[in-house]
Short mmCIF file of all heavy atoms in Angstrom, two decimals:
data_model
loop_
_atom_site.label_atom_id
_atom_site.label_comp_id
_atom_site.label_asym_id
_atom_site.label_seq_id
_atom_site.Cartn_x
_atom_site.Cartn_y
_atom_site.Cartn_z
N MET A 1 -31.95 -11.67 -8.01
CA MET A 1 -30.96 -10.62 -7.84
C MET A 1 -29.66 -11.21 -7.27
O MET A 1 -29.71 -12.03 -6.35
CB MET A 1 -31.53 -9.56 -6.89
CG MET A 1 -30.71 -8.35 -6.73
SD MET A 1 -31.52 -7.14 -5.66
CE MET A 1 -31.29 -5.75 -6.63
N ALA A 2 -28.53 -10.84 -7.80
CA ALA A 2 -27.27 -11.35 -7.33
C ALA A 2 -26.89 -10.77 -5.97
O ALA A 2 -27.21 -9.65 -5.70
CB ALA A 2 -26.14 -11.03 -8.36
N PRO A 3 -26.23 -11.61 -5.15
CA PRO A 3 -25.80 -11.11 -3.85
C PRO A 3 -24.74 -10.02 -4.00
O PRO A 3 -23.99 -10.02 -4.95
CB PRO A 3 -25.29 -12.31 -3.13
CG PRO A 3 -24.92 -13.25 -4.18
CD PRO A 3 -25.83 -12.96 -5.39
N ILE A 4 -24.64 -9.13 -3.07
CA ILE A 4 -23.65 -8.11 -3.03
C ILE A 4 -22.35 -8.74 -2.59
O ILE A 4 -22.33 -9.42 -1.54
CB ILE A 4 -24.04 -6.95 -2.10
CG1 ILE A 4 -25.28 -6.26 -2.66
CG2 ILE A 4 -22.87 -5.94 -1.97
CD1 ILE A 4 -25.86 -5.22 -1.73
N PRO A 5 -21.27 -8.62 -3.36
CA PRO A 5 -20.02 -9.30 -2.86
C PRO A 5 -19.43 -8.65 -1.69
O PRO A 5 -19.55 -7.43 -1.46
CB PRO A 5 -19.08 -9.07 -4.14
CG PRO A 5 -19.67 -7.94 -4.88
CD PRO A 5 -21.13 -7.90 -4.58
N THR A 6 -18.80 -9.48 -0.86
CA THR A 6 -18.14 -9.03 0.35
C THR A 6 -16.66 -8.92 0.10
O THR A 6 -16.04 -9.94 -0.24
CB THR A 6 -18.39 -9.93 1.52
OG1 THR A 6 -19.79 -10.07 1.71
CG2 THR A 6 -17.75 -9.41 2.81
N PRO A 7 -16.06 -7.71 0.17
CA PRO A 7 -14.64 -7.62 -0.12
C PRO A 7 -13.83 -8.37 0.95
O PRO A 7 -14.25 -8.48 2.10
CB PRO A 7 -14.34 -6.12 -0.01
CG PRO A 7 -15.48 -5.55 0.72
CD PRO A 7 -16.66 -6.43 0.54
N PRO A 8 -12.67 -8.92 0.56
CA PRO A 8 -11.82 -9.59 1.57
C PRO A 8 -11.29 -8.60 2.60
O PRO A 8 -11.22 -7.41 2.34
CB PRO A 8 -10.68 -10.13 0.76
CG PRO A 8 -10.67 -9.29 -0.50
CD PRO A 8 -12.04 -8.82 -0.72
N ALA A 9 -11.02 -9.15 3.77
CA ALA A 9 -10.50 -8.26 4.86
C ALA A 9 -9.10 -7.85 4.55
O ALA A 9 -8.30 -8.55 3.93
CB ALA A 9 -10.50 -9.05 6.14
N GLU A 10 -8.77 -6.60 4.95
CA GLU A 10 -7.41 -6.10 4.77
C GLU A 10 -6.55 -6.69 5.92
O GLU A 10 -7.01 -7.00 6.97
CB GLU A 10 -7.38 -4.62 4.89
CG GLU A 10 -7.93 -3.88 3.69
CD GLU A 10 -7.78 -2.36 3.81
OE1 GLU A 10 -7.72 -1.84 4.89
OE2 GLU A 10 -7.73 -1.74 2.73
N PRO A 11 -5.23 -6.79 5.61
CA PRO A 11 -4.31 -7.22 6.70
C PRO A 11 -4.38 -6.24 7.85
O PRO A 11 -4.53 -5.08 7.70
CB PRO A 11 -2.96 -7.19 6.01
CG PRO A 11 -3.20 -7.24 4.56
CD PRO A 11 -4.56 -6.53 4.35
N GLN A 12 -4.26 -6.77 9.09
CA GLN A 12 -4.22 -5.95 10.24
C GLN A 12 -2.76 -5.47 10.42
O GLN A 12 -1.98 -6.08 11.13
CB GLN A 12 -4.66 -6.73 11.48
CG GLN A 12 -6.12 -7.15 11.41
CD GLN A 12 -7.06 -5.95 11.39
OE1 GLN A 12 -6.93 -5.03 12.17
NE2 GLN A 12 -7.97 -5.94 10.39
N ASP A 13 -2.48 -4.37 9.71
CA ASP A 13 -1.10 -3.94 9.57
C ASP A 13 -1.14 -2.42 9.50
O ASP A 13 -1.98 -1.83 8.83
CB ASP A 13 -0.52 -4.53 8.27
CG ASP A 13 0.94 -4.29 8.07
OD1 ASP A 13 1.64 -4.10 9.12
OD2 ASP A 13 1.41 -4.38 6.96
N SER A 14 -0.24 -1.74 10.15
CA SER A 14 -0.15 -0.29 10.13
C SER A 14 0.81 0.18 9.03
O SER A 14 1.94 -0.19 9.01
CB SER A 14 0.32 0.24 11.46
OG SER A 14 0.55 1.64 11.37
N PRO A 15 0.32 0.99 8.10
CA PRO A 15 1.22 1.58 7.09
C PRO A 15 2.46 2.30 7.65
O PRO A 15 3.49 2.31 7.00
CB PRO A 15 0.35 2.52 6.31
CG PRO A 15 -1.04 2.05 6.49
CD PRO A 15 -1.03 1.51 7.89
N ASP A 16 2.34 2.84 8.85
CA ASP A 16 3.45 3.58 9.43
C ASP A 16 4.68 2.75 9.66
O ASP A 16 5.78 3.21 9.74
CB ASP A 16 3.00 4.23 10.74
CG ASP A 16 2.00 5.35 10.56
OD1 ASP A 16 1.90 5.92 9.43
OD2 ASP A 16 1.26 5.61 11.51
N THR A 17 4.50 1.42 9.77
CA THR A 17 5.63 0.51 10.02
C THR A 17 6.58 0.41 8.84
O THR A 17 7.73 -0.09 9.00
CB THR A 17 5.14 -0.90 10.47
OG1 THR A 17 4.41 -1.48 9.37
CG2 THR A 17 4.31 -0.89 11.66
N TYR A 18 6.16 0.87 7.69
CA TYR A 18 6.95 0.78 6.43
C TYR A 18 7.81 2.03 6.22
O TYR A 18 8.73 1.96 5.45
CB TYR A 18 6.09 0.52 5.24
CG TYR A 18 5.34 -0.80 5.35
CD1 TYR A 18 4.05 -0.90 5.88
CD2 TYR A 18 5.93 -2.00 4.94
CE1 TYR A 18 3.41 -2.08 6.00
CE2 TYR A 18 5.27 -3.24 5.07
CZ TYR A 18 4.03 -3.24 5.60
OH TYR A 18 3.34 -4.43 5.72
N VAL A 19 7.45 3.09 6.84
CA VAL A 19 8.18 4.37 6.61
C VAL A 19 9.64 4.24 7.08
O VAL A 19 9.85 3.76 8.20
CB VAL A 19 7.47 5.52 7.35
CG1 VAL A 19 8.26 6.83 7.20
CG2 VAL A 19 6.07 5.76 6.76
N GLY A 20 10.52 4.59 6.22
CA GLY A 20 11.94 4.53 6.51
C GLY A 20 12.61 3.26 5.99
O GLY A 20 13.86 3.22 5.90
N LEU A 21 11.82 2.28 5.58
CA LEU A 21 12.40 1.02 5.08
C LEU A 21 12.85 1.19 3.61
O LEU A 21 12.28 2.03 2.90
CB LEU A 21 11.40 -0.11 5.10
CG LEU A 21 10.94 -0.53 6.48
CD1 LEU A 21 9.86 -1.68 6.34
CD2 LEU A 21 12.09 -1.07 7.34
N GLU A 22 13.81 0.44 3.19
CA GLU A 22 14.22 0.38 1.81
C GLU A 22 13.04 -0.13 0.98
O GLU A 22 12.34 -1.01 1.42
CB GLU A 22 15.45 -0.55 1.67
CG GLU A 22 16.16 -0.42 0.36
CD GLU A 22 15.77 -1.54 -0.59
OE1 GLU A 22 14.95 -2.42 -0.26
OE2 GLU A 22 16.30 -1.56 -1.68
N SER A 23 12.77 0.49 -0.15
CA SER A 23 11.51 0.17 -0.91
C SER A 23 11.34 -1.31 -1.27
O SER A 23 10.22 -1.84 -1.14
CB SER A 23 11.42 1.06 -2.12
OG SER A 23 12.44 0.81 -3.03
N ASP A 24 12.39 -1.96 -1.73
CA ASP A 24 12.26 -3.39 -2.09
C ASP A 24 11.94 -4.26 -0.86
O ASP A 24 11.06 -5.15 -0.92
CB ASP A 24 13.51 -3.91 -2.76
CG ASP A 24 13.68 -3.34 -4.17
OD1 ASP A 24 12.71 -2.88 -4.78
OD2 ASP A 24 14.84 -3.34 -4.63
N ALA A 25 12.58 -3.97 0.22
CA ALA A 25 12.32 -4.72 1.49
C ALA A 25 10.90 -4.46 2.00
O ALA A 25 10.23 -5.39 2.42
CB ALA A 25 13.36 -4.33 2.53
N ALA A 26 10.46 -3.23 1.87
CA ALA A 26 9.12 -2.87 2.33
C ALA A 26 8.07 -3.59 1.48
O ALA A 26 7.05 -4.09 2.02
CB ALA A 26 8.91 -1.34 2.23
N GLU A 27 8.32 -3.67 0.15
CA GLU A 27 7.38 -4.36 -0.70
C GLU A 27 7.28 -5.86 -0.37
O GLU A 27 6.20 -6.42 -0.27
CB GLU A 27 7.70 -4.17 -2.15
CG GLU A 27 6.68 -4.77 -3.10
CD GLU A 27 6.98 -4.49 -4.53
OE1 GLU A 27 7.67 -3.53 -4.85
OE2 GLU A 27 6.42 -5.21 -5.41
N ARG A 28 8.44 -6.47 -0.20
CA ARG A 28 8.44 -7.91 0.19
C ARG A 28 7.70 -8.12 1.51
O ARG A 28 6.92 -9.10 1.62
CB ARG A 28 9.86 -8.42 0.27
CG ARG A 28 10.54 -8.66 -1.06
CD ARG A 28 11.86 -9.43 -0.95
NE ARG A 28 12.82 -8.77 -0.06
CZ ARG A 28 13.69 -7.86 -0.49
NH1 ARG A 28 13.71 -7.42 -1.73
NH2 ARG A 28 14.55 -7.33 0.40
N LEU A 29 7.96 -7.28 2.47
CA LEU A 29 7.30 -7.43 3.78
C LEU A 29 5.79 -7.24 3.70
O LEU A 29 5.07 -8.01 4.25
CB LEU A 29 7.92 -6.36 4.77
CG LEU A 29 7.34 -6.38 6.15
CD1 LEU A 29 7.56 -7.78 6.87
CD2 LEU A 29 8.01 -5.29 6.97
N ALA A 30 5.38 -6.26 2.90
CA ALA A 30 3.94 -6.01 2.73
C ALA A 30 3.23 -7.19 2.10
O ALA A 30 2.18 -7.60 2.52
CB ALA A 30 3.73 -4.74 1.91
N ARG A 31 3.85 -7.77 1.09
CA ARG A 31 3.25 -8.97 0.46
C ARG A 31 3.25 -10.14 1.39
O ARG A 31 2.27 -10.87 1.43
CB ARG A 31 4.01 -9.30 -0.86
CG ARG A 31 3.82 -8.23 -1.91
CD ARG A 31 4.41 -8.63 -3.25
NE ARG A 31 4.36 -7.55 -4.19
CZ ARG A 31 3.25 -7.13 -4.84
NH1 ARG A 31 2.13 -7.71 -4.63
NH2 ARG A 31 3.37 -6.12 -5.71
N ALA A 32 4.25 -10.30 2.19
CA ALA A 32 4.29 -11.39 3.18
C ALA A 32 3.21 -11.21 4.24
O ALA A 32 2.72 -12.20 4.81
CB ALA A 32 5.70 -11.49 3.84
N ARG A 33 2.89 -9.98 4.53
CA ARG A 33 1.84 -9.67 5.55
C ARG A 33 0.42 -9.71 4.97
O ARG A 33 -0.55 -9.48 5.65
CB ARG A 33 2.11 -8.33 6.16
CG ARG A 33 3.31 -8.33 7.05
CD ARG A 33 3.52 -7.03 7.69
NE ARG A 33 4.61 -7.00 8.67
CZ ARG A 33 5.08 -5.99 9.29
NH1 ARG A 33 4.53 -4.76 9.04
NH2 ARG A 33 6.08 -6.06 10.12
N GLY A 34 0.29 -9.99 3.64
CA GLY A 34 -1.03 -10.24 3.09
C GLY A 34 -1.58 -9.18 2.18
O GLY A 34 -2.75 -9.27 1.72
N TRP A 35 -0.83 -8.12 1.84
CA TRP A 35 -1.35 -7.09 0.98
C TRP A 35 -1.38 -7.66 -0.44
O TRP A 35 -0.40 -8.15 -0.94
CB TRP A 35 -0.46 -5.82 1.03
CG TRP A 35 -0.58 -5.13 2.32
CD1 TRP A 35 0.26 -5.18 3.40
CD2 TRP A 35 -1.68 -4.31 2.77
NE1 TRP A 35 -0.24 -4.47 4.47
CE2 TRP A 35 -1.40 -3.88 4.08
CE3 TRP A 35 -2.85 -3.86 2.16
CZ2 TRP A 35 -2.26 -3.09 4.81
CZ3 TRP A 35 -3.72 -3.02 2.89
CH2 TRP A 35 -3.39 -2.69 4.21
N ALA A 36 -2.53 -7.55 -1.13
CA ALA A 36 -2.71 -8.10 -2.48
C ALA A 36 -1.99 -7.24 -3.50
O ALA A 36 -1.40 -7.76 -4.47
CB ALA A 36 -4.16 -8.19 -2.79
N THR A 37 -1.99 -5.92 -3.33
CA THR A 37 -1.36 -5.02 -4.26
C THR A 37 -0.48 -4.01 -3.46
O THR A 37 -0.93 -3.45 -2.46
CB THR A 37 -2.40 -4.21 -5.04
OG1 THR A 37 -3.26 -5.08 -5.69
CG2 THR A 37 -1.75 -3.26 -6.07
N VAL A 38 0.78 -3.87 -3.94
CA VAL A 38 1.66 -2.91 -3.32
C VAL A 38 2.15 -1.98 -4.46
O VAL A 38 2.62 -2.47 -5.47
CB VAL A 38 2.86 -3.59 -2.67
CG1 VAL A 38 3.83 -2.58 -2.06
CG2 VAL A 38 2.41 -4.61 -1.61
N ARG A 39 1.92 -0.70 -4.24
CA ARG A 39 2.21 0.26 -5.30
C ARG A 39 3.26 1.25 -4.84
O ARG A 39 3.05 1.92 -3.76
CB ARG A 39 0.91 1.00 -5.72
CG ARG A 39 1.06 1.99 -6.80
CD ARG A 39 -0.33 2.40 -7.35
NE ARG A 39 -1.13 3.13 -6.39
CZ ARG A 39 -2.25 3.78 -6.75
NH1 ARG A 39 -2.65 3.77 -7.98
NH2 ARG A 39 -2.93 4.42 -5.86
N SER A 40 4.36 1.38 -5.53
CA SER A 40 5.43 2.34 -5.19
C SER A 40 5.30 3.52 -6.14
O SER A 40 5.23 3.39 -7.35
CB SER A 40 6.80 1.71 -5.34
OG SER A 40 6.97 0.69 -4.37
N LEU A 41 5.32 4.74 -5.56
CA LEU A 41 5.14 5.96 -6.30
C LEU A 41 6.23 6.96 -5.97
O LEU A 41 6.64 7.05 -4.82
CB LEU A 41 3.78 6.59 -5.97
CG LEU A 41 2.55 5.67 -6.11
CD1 LEU A 41 1.41 6.18 -5.33
CD2 LEU A 41 2.22 5.50 -7.58
N ALA A 42 6.63 7.76 -6.97
CA ALA A 42 7.54 8.82 -6.74
C ALA A 42 6.80 9.99 -6.06
O ALA A 42 5.61 10.14 -6.24
CB ALA A 42 8.15 9.28 -8.07
N PRO A 43 7.51 10.84 -5.30
CA PRO A 43 6.83 11.98 -4.67
C PRO A 43 6.18 12.85 -5.75
O PRO A 43 6.72 13.09 -6.83
CB PRO A 43 7.98 12.73 -4.03
CG PRO A 43 9.01 11.70 -3.78
CD PRO A 43 8.93 10.74 -4.93
N GLY A 44 4.94 13.24 -5.50
CA GLY A 44 4.21 14.14 -6.40
C GLY A 44 3.50 13.44 -7.58
O GLY A 44 2.95 14.09 -8.40
N THR A 45 3.57 12.10 -7.63
CA THR A 45 2.90 11.36 -8.70
C THR A 45 1.41 11.62 -8.61
O THR A 45 0.83 11.54 -7.55
CB THR A 45 3.20 9.89 -8.58
OG1 THR A 45 4.61 9.63 -8.66
CG2 THR A 45 2.46 9.06 -9.63
N ILE A 46 0.81 11.86 -9.76
CA ILE A 46 -0.64 12.08 -9.82
C ILE A 46 -1.31 10.74 -9.90
O ILE A 46 -0.98 9.90 -10.80
CB ILE A 46 -1.00 12.97 -11.02
CG1 ILE A 46 -0.37 14.37 -10.86
CG2 ILE A 46 -2.53 13.06 -11.17
CD1 ILE A 46 -0.50 15.25 -12.02
N ILE A 47 -2.22 10.50 -8.92
CA ILE A 47 -2.95 9.24 -8.91
C ILE A 47 -4.44 9.48 -8.73
O ILE A 47 -4.82 10.56 -8.29
CB ILE A 47 -2.47 8.32 -7.78
CG1 ILE A 47 -2.58 8.99 -6.40
CG2 ILE A 47 -1.02 7.88 -8.02
CD1 ILE A 47 -2.27 8.11 -5.24
N THR A 48 -5.22 8.49 -9.10
CA THR A 48 -6.67 8.61 -8.85
C THR A 48 -6.91 8.32 -7.35
O THR A 48 -6.09 7.80 -6.64
CB THR A 48 -7.48 7.58 -9.63
OG1 THR A 48 -7.07 6.28 -9.31
CG2 THR A 48 -7.31 7.81 -11.17
N MET A 49 -8.06 8.75 -6.85
CA MET A 49 -8.36 8.70 -5.45
C MET A 49 -9.31 7.51 -5.06
O MET A 49 -9.80 7.50 -3.95
CB MET A 49 -8.99 9.99 -4.93
CG MET A 49 -8.02 11.18 -5.08
SD MET A 49 -6.47 10.98 -4.20
CE MET A 49 -7.05 10.94 -2.55
N GLU A 50 -9.54 6.56 -5.98
CA GLU A 50 -10.43 5.47 -5.57
C GLU A 50 -9.73 4.59 -4.52
O GLU A 50 -8.51 4.48 -4.53
CB GLU A 50 -10.80 4.62 -6.81
CG GLU A 50 -9.81 3.52 -7.20
CD GLU A 50 -8.64 3.97 -8.05
OE1 GLU A 50 -8.50 5.17 -8.34
OE2 GLU A 50 -7.84 3.11 -8.39
N TYR A 51 -10.55 4.06 -3.66
CA TYR A 51 -10.03 3.20 -2.56
C TYR A 51 -10.10 1.76 -3.01
O TYR A 51 -11.17 1.29 -3.43
CB TYR A 51 -10.85 3.40 -1.30
CG TYR A 51 -10.26 2.69 -0.11
CD1 TYR A 51 -9.34 3.32 0.67
CD2 TYR A 51 -10.64 1.38 0.17
CE1 TYR A 51 -8.75 2.63 1.76
CE2 TYR A 51 -10.07 0.72 1.26
CZ TYR A 51 -9.18 1.35 2.01
OH TYR A 51 -8.64 0.70 3.09
N ARG A 52 -9.01 1.06 -2.93
CA ARG A 52 -8.95 -0.40 -3.27
C ARG A 52 -8.64 -1.19 -2.03
O ARG A 52 -7.60 -0.99 -1.46
CB ARG A 52 -7.91 -0.63 -4.33
CG ARG A 52 -8.18 -0.06 -5.67
CD ARG A 52 -8.63 -1.23 -6.61
NE ARG A 52 -9.15 -0.75 -7.80
CZ ARG A 52 -8.60 -1.00 -8.97
NH1 ARG A 52 -7.46 -1.71 -9.03
NH2 ARG A 52 -9.12 -0.58 -10.07
N VAL A 53 -9.55 -2.05 -1.64
CA VAL A 53 -9.28 -2.92 -0.49
C VAL A 53 -8.08 -3.81 -0.82
O VAL A 53 -7.97 -4.39 -1.90
CB VAL A 53 -10.54 -3.78 -0.19
CG1 VAL A 53 -10.26 -4.81 0.92
CG2 VAL A 53 -11.70 -2.87 0.21
N GLY A 54 -7.16 -3.93 0.13
CA GLY A 54 -6.03 -4.82 -0.03
C GLY A 54 -4.88 -4.19 -0.77
O GLY A 54 -3.90 -4.84 -1.06
N ARG A 55 -4.92 -2.84 -1.01
CA ARG A 55 -3.79 -2.17 -1.71
C ARG A 55 -3.05 -1.29 -0.68
O ARG A 55 -3.66 -0.58 0.10
CB ARG A 55 -4.29 -1.32 -2.85
CG ARG A 55 -3.13 -0.56 -3.56
CD ARG A 55 -3.55 0.04 -4.85
NE ARG A 55 -4.49 1.15 -4.64
CZ ARG A 55 -5.12 1.75 -5.62
NH1 ARG A 55 -4.94 1.34 -6.90
NH2 ARG A 55 -5.98 2.74 -5.40
N LEU A 56 -1.75 -1.33 -0.72
CA LEU A 56 -0.88 -0.51 0.09
C LEU A 56 -0.03 0.35 -0.82
O LEU A 56 0.58 -0.17 -1.79
CB LEU A 56 0.00 -1.37 0.97
CG LEU A 56 0.81 -0.67 2.05
CD1 LEU A 56 -0.12 0.07 3.05
CD2 LEU A 56 1.70 -1.63 2.81
N ASN A 57 -0.02 1.64 -0.61
CA ASN A 57 0.72 2.59 -1.44
C ASN A 57 1.92 3.08 -0.68
O ASN A 57 1.86 3.36 0.51
CB ASN A 57 -0.16 3.79 -1.73
CG ASN A 57 -1.45 3.44 -2.50
OD1 ASN A 57 -1.37 3.00 -3.65
ND2 ASN A 57 -2.57 3.51 -1.82
N PHE A 58 3.05 3.15 -1.40
CA PHE A 58 4.28 3.71 -0.85
C PHE A 58 4.69 4.91 -1.67
O PHE A 58 4.73 4.83 -2.92
CB PHE A 58 5.45 2.68 -0.93
CG PHE A 58 5.30 1.48 -0.10
CD1 PHE A 58 5.80 0.24 -0.50
CD2 PHE A 58 4.67 1.53 1.15
CE1 PHE A 58 5.70 -0.88 0.28
CE2 PHE A 58 4.54 0.39 1.92
CZ PHE A 58 5.09 -0.82 1.51
N GLU A 59 5.07 6.00 -1.05
CA GLU A 59 5.76 7.09 -1.68
C GLU A 59 7.22 6.85 -1.42
O GLU A 59 7.65 6.77 -0.28
CB GLU A 59 5.32 8.43 -1.16
CG GLU A 59 5.95 9.64 -1.85
CD GLU A 59 5.37 10.93 -1.36
OE1 GLU A 59 4.29 11.30 -1.85
OE2 GLU A 59 6.03 11.55 -0.50
N VAL A 60 8.01 6.74 -2.50
CA VAL A 60 9.44 6.37 -2.34
C VAL A 60 10.32 7.55 -2.77
O VAL A 60 10.19 8.08 -3.87
CB VAL A 60 9.75 5.11 -3.21
CG1 VAL A 60 11.21 4.77 -3.11
CG2 VAL A 60 8.90 3.95 -2.75
N LYS A 61 11.18 7.92 -1.89
CA LYS A 61 12.15 8.98 -2.17
C LYS A 61 13.55 8.48 -1.79
O LYS A 61 13.74 7.97 -0.69
CB LYS A 61 11.84 10.20 -1.32
CG LYS A 61 12.65 11.40 -1.59
CD LYS A 61 12.24 12.59 -0.80
CE LYS A 61 13.14 13.81 -1.13
NZ LYS A 61 12.86 14.96 -0.35
N ASP A 62 14.46 8.58 -2.74
CA ASP A 62 15.83 8.14 -2.56
C ASP A 62 15.87 6.65 -2.12
O ASP A 62 16.72 6.30 -1.29
CB ASP A 62 16.60 9.03 -1.54
CG ASP A 62 16.68 10.46 -2.00
OD1 ASP A 62 16.81 10.68 -3.21
OD2 ASP A 62 16.65 11.38 -1.12
N GLY A 63 15.03 5.82 -2.70
CA GLY A 63 15.06 4.39 -2.41
C GLY A 63 14.45 3.90 -1.15
O GLY A 63 14.43 2.77 -0.80
N ARG A 64 13.86 4.89 -0.33
CA ARG A 64 13.23 4.55 0.96
C ARG A 64 11.77 5.03 0.97
O ARG A 64 11.44 6.02 0.34
CB ARG A 64 13.95 5.19 2.06
CG ARG A 64 15.38 4.66 2.20
CD ARG A 64 15.90 4.77 3.64
NE ARG A 64 17.18 4.08 3.80
CZ ARG A 64 17.27 2.82 4.14
NH1 ARG A 64 16.22 2.12 4.45
NH2 ARG A 64 18.51 2.27 4.28
N VAL A 65 10.97 4.29 1.70
CA VAL A 65 9.53 4.68 1.84
C VAL A 65 9.48 5.92 2.72
O VAL A 65 9.92 5.90 3.86
CB VAL A 65 8.74 3.52 2.47
CG1 VAL A 65 7.31 3.96 2.70
CG2 VAL A 65 8.82 2.30 1.59
N SER A 66 8.93 7.02 2.19
CA SER A 66 8.78 8.21 2.95
C SER A 66 7.35 8.43 3.47
O SER A 66 7.12 9.21 4.35
CB SER A 66 9.18 9.44 2.08
OG SER A 66 8.41 9.53 0.95
N ARG A 67 6.42 7.68 2.87
CA ARG A 67 5.00 7.77 3.27
C ARG A 67 4.32 6.47 2.80
O ARG A 67 4.66 5.92 1.78
CB ARG A 67 4.36 8.97 2.53
CG ARG A 67 2.93 9.16 2.87
CD ARG A 67 2.38 10.46 2.24
NE ARG A 67 0.95 10.43 2.23
CZ ARG A 67 0.15 10.63 1.21
NH1 ARG A 67 0.66 10.88 0.01
NH2 ARG A 67 -1.15 10.63 1.30
N ALA A 68 3.36 5.99 3.61
CA ALA A 68 2.63 4.80 3.25
C ALA A 68 1.16 4.96 3.69
O ALA A 68 0.90 5.54 4.70
CB ALA A 68 3.25 3.55 3.95
N TRP A 69 0.26 4.46 2.81
CA TRP A 69 -1.17 4.55 3.13
C TRP A 69 -1.95 3.45 2.45
O TRP A 69 -1.53 2.89 1.46
CB TRP A 69 -1.73 5.94 2.75
CG TRP A 69 -1.77 6.24 1.29
CD1 TRP A 69 -2.89 6.16 0.47
CD2 TRP A 69 -0.74 6.72 0.46
NE1 TRP A 69 -2.57 6.52 -0.79
CE2 TRP A 69 -1.23 6.88 -0.85
CE3 TRP A 69 0.65 6.99 0.65
CZ2 TRP A 69 -0.48 7.33 -1.91
CZ3 TRP A 69 1.37 7.40 -0.41
CH2 TRP A 69 0.83 7.57 -1.67
N LYS A 70 -3.10 3.13 3.00
CA LYS A 70 -3.93 2.06 2.48
C LYS A 70 -4.79 2.63 1.31
O LYS A 70 -5.04 3.78 1.24
CB LYS A 70 -4.95 1.61 3.50
CG LYS A 70 -4.24 0.91 4.72
CD LYS A 70 -5.31 0.53 5.74
CE LYS A 70 -4.70 -0.14 6.95
NZ LYS A 70 -5.71 -0.57 7.90
N GLY A 71 -5.21 1.70 0.43
CA GLY A 71 -6.15 1.99 -0.60
C GLY A 71 -5.55 2.23 -1.94
O GLY A 71 -6.11 2.57 -2.90
#
C-alpha cells in the first residue's frame, strides 16, 4: 500500500496583511512569502469551495485587495 502523502506546510502568514494593497504588489509579496498559488478574483466571482494547501485568494476591487483568504 502506498504511503499517504503529506501536504507541504503553508506559509505562516496572515491573509489580512494583504487587504488594502495594490493587487500586483500583493501578489508579488505573497509569492515572496512562499504561497505556491495566488489567485485574484473580481467581487462576486463564482468559485469552487475545495481547499488547496498553499493557495492564497484575493478579491480585487478597483485594483486593490478588498478581501484575502487561504485555500
Side-chain angles (χ1 to χ4, degrees):
M1 186 177 227
I4 297 173
T6 304
E10 287 185 331
Q12 295 299 310
D13 190 23
S14 173
D16 293 336
T17 62
Y18 298 93
V19 175
L21 296 178
E22 193 261 359
S23 63
D24 289 339
E27 184 174 341
R28 284 192 303 274
L29 181 59
R31 291 187 188 285
R33 289 182 175 174
W35 291 100
T37 304
V38 180
R39 182 166 67 167
S40 293
L41 307 161
T45 300
I46 297 172
I47 58 173
T48 60
M49 297 302 295
E50 86 278 2
Y51 186 88
R52 292 255 171 118
V53 173
R55 179 169 66 189
L56 188 62
N57 300 291
F58 295 146
E59 182 175 280
V60 178
K61 184 176 181 184
D62 299 325
R64 296 206 171 267
V65 177
S66 59
R67 179 176 166 231
W69 67 99
K70 296 178 181 183

